[in-house]
Amino acid sequence: MWILMYVFSYSVSPAATNDRAEWRLLPTVVFQEFSNEERCRAAKSTLEGSLKEAGAKLKSGLEDLKSIGKGDPAQIIIAFNVECLPK
């Protein structure tokens, strides 16, 4: 058995929201079991590709907002880690 562990975190600058508190990471952790390492690694590759694509789209959207003075990619932090681990 193999476990796919996926950790996704994001934080939005307090200046970009009505919440004036400090930057906070908001993590999500997901575990998925796979019967073998090959299936786990295939899922890992697909998930990493999807996360990178989503991040690129978000950054592009924030760049568009920055051009009209309404947002900035520097106002959000996105981090992720995807690992396959033997059970």
Side-chain angles (χ1 to χ4, degrees):
M1 272 300 189
W2 284 78
I3 304 291
L4 176 75
M5 180 186 71
Y6 153 49
V7 180
F8 177 82
S9 299
Y10 72 94
S11 186
V12 177
S13 167
T17 70
N18 291 330
D19 180 5
R20 297 294 180 209
E22 62 191 48
W23 287 74
R24 286 185 212 114
L25 285 178
L26 305 168
T28 300
V29 181
V30 177
F31 297 94
Q32 174 80 40
E33 285 190 0
F34 289 87
S35 58
N36 60 54
E37 183 178 7
E38 182 180 317
R39 291 185 71 190
C40 186
R41 298 233 180 258
K44 176 184 177 191
S45 178
T46 300
L47 183 55
E48 285 175 327
S50 294
L51 291 171
K52 286 176 186 174
E53 184 179 319
K57 286 180 181 177
L58 177 60
K59 184 176 180 181
S60 174
L62 289 171
E63 286 290 350
D64 292 345
L65 288 173
K66 183 179 180 180
S67 70
I68 60 170
K70 298 291 184 185
D72 187 339
Q75 292 177 326
I76 190 166
I77 297 170
I78 297 173
F80 66 89
N81 187 28
V82 184
E83 296 291 335
C84 282
L85 306 166
K87 182 175 180 184

